[in-house]
Amino acid sequence: MAEGLAAAGATVVLNGSDQGRLSAAAAEMKAAGYTVHEARFDVTDEAAIVATFERFDAEGIEIDILVNNAGIQLRKPMVELATDEWRKVIEANLTSAFVVGREAAKRMIPRGYGKVINIGSLTSELARATVAPYTVAKGGIKMLTRAMAAEWAAHGIQANAIGPGYMLTDMNQALVENPTFDAWVKSRTPAKRWGKPDELIGTAVFLASSASDYVNGQIIYVDGGMLAVL
Ligand code: GCO
């Protein structure tokens, strides 16, 4: 999505918690000719988030478009799930979007402009066994997006979400390699295939552009039709 937004003309500030991976991603984008800055912080570290936005203020970096994409997955039955494991997923997948969104909106509101794009999931709508904290967090992302619209739309900010289906990402590699799960995704998805991460770019660019200036509080599913069909 970062590359797609850069290709559409955005100057990108990449965030990651791991400096090595962040610098490698930034270098790859710079090699492609894109303008990229790095902002290393863990999205569960509120002090680091606040300090980063204060650094942006000092350096004149204005965040016009925020994509809240950070997330972790933990697949385990609830009866085996420790409360701290639950909290970790909720913090990384939901609270982070609130904290980063709040800091971005504090600066967007005075400017009367902003785009917030939260990343939901099929589990924003439907539950699957063994991914309860992820499901609850992603359900929360859908409603947080609506809450952001409720409070920020009058200030020229559009808050929306993208709900990816089963995508070929690192987080899902264990599922892709599981023949039974792989077959289920391919049979359950009307498109009969997993989604590719770059298939999210068009929706991200739409929600980041003036084409979506009257779209607020929505979640757009990019899921091969899975949610539309029994
Ligand atoms: C899982 C997967 C899903 C997908 C995605 C679906 O274990 O079921 O990780 O959660 O990642 O969120 O939209």
Side-chain angles (χ1 to χ4, degrees):
M1 285 187 285
E3 288 177 17
L5 291 167
T11 295
V12 171
V13 179
L14 270 188
N15 163 251
S17 56
D18 177 276
Q19 186 60 63
R21 290 184 62 188
L22 176 60
S23 296
E28 190 180 316
M29 288 184 65
K30 286 172 185 171
Y34 300 130
T35 305
V36 186
H37 302 283
E38 295 178 28
R40 197 213 71 75
F41 58 86
D42 185 311
V43 292
T44 63
D45 180 344
E46 179 168 10
I49 294 166
V50 171
T52 298
F53 274 87
E54 288 170 351
R55 173 169 71 84
F56 290 163
D57 296 341
E59 295 176 6
I61 294 176
E62 296 183 351
I63 304 297
D64 295 317
I65 302 161
L66 169 64
V67 179
N68 280 314
N69 184 46
I72 59 175
Q73 181 59 288
L74 177 63
R75 300 181 181 100
K76 187 183 280 191
M78 278 190 274
V79 294
E80 297 168 19
L81 195 66
T83 309
D84 281 351
E85 290 177 312
W86 164 277
R87 286 198 189 98
K88 185 166 179 255
V89 177
I90 299 293
E91 284 289 318
N93 294 18
L94 177 58
T95 307
S96 63
F98 159 66
V99 176
V100 180
R102 178 193 68 199
E103 291 308 306
K106 282 180 181 176
R107 284 112 175 134
M108 290 172 172
I109 288 171
R111 296 199 297 265
Y113 178 85
K115 297 283 187 177
V116 178
I117 302 167
N118 297 317
I119 303 301
S121 159
L122 291 169
T123 57
S124 296
E125 301 291 344
L126 298 175
R128 180 172 91 77
T130 74
V131 289
Y134 185 98
T135 300
V136 168
K138 292 301 189 179
I141 283 289
K142 181 173 83 168
M143 296 314 294
L144 174 63
T145 301
R146 293 180 181 177
M148 288 174 166
E151 294 192 17
W152 300 342
H155 300 285
I157 299 167
Q158 289 83 53
N160 292 287
I162 299 172
Y166 277 97
M167 312 303 279
L168 293 168
T169 57
D170 296 346
M171 188 171 77
N172 286 337
Q173 196 52 35
L175 303 178
V176 175
E177 291 167 2
N178 176 319
T180 305
F181 201 98
D182 177 54
W184 174 76
V185 167
K186 289 171 178 169
S187 67
R188 179 65 181 77
T189 305
K192 301 303 177 196
R193 64 175 177 86
W194 291 76
K196 298 178 291 250
D198 62 9
E199 291 181 298
L200 298 170
I201 291 172
T203 306
V205 171
F206 166 66
L207 291 175
S209 75
S210 60
S212 59
D213 281 355
Y214 201 53
V215 180
N216 246 303
Q218 301 304 310
I219 182 165
I220 300 175
Y221 288 98
V222 183
D223 68 351
M226 188 182 264
L227 277 179
V229 174
L230 278 175

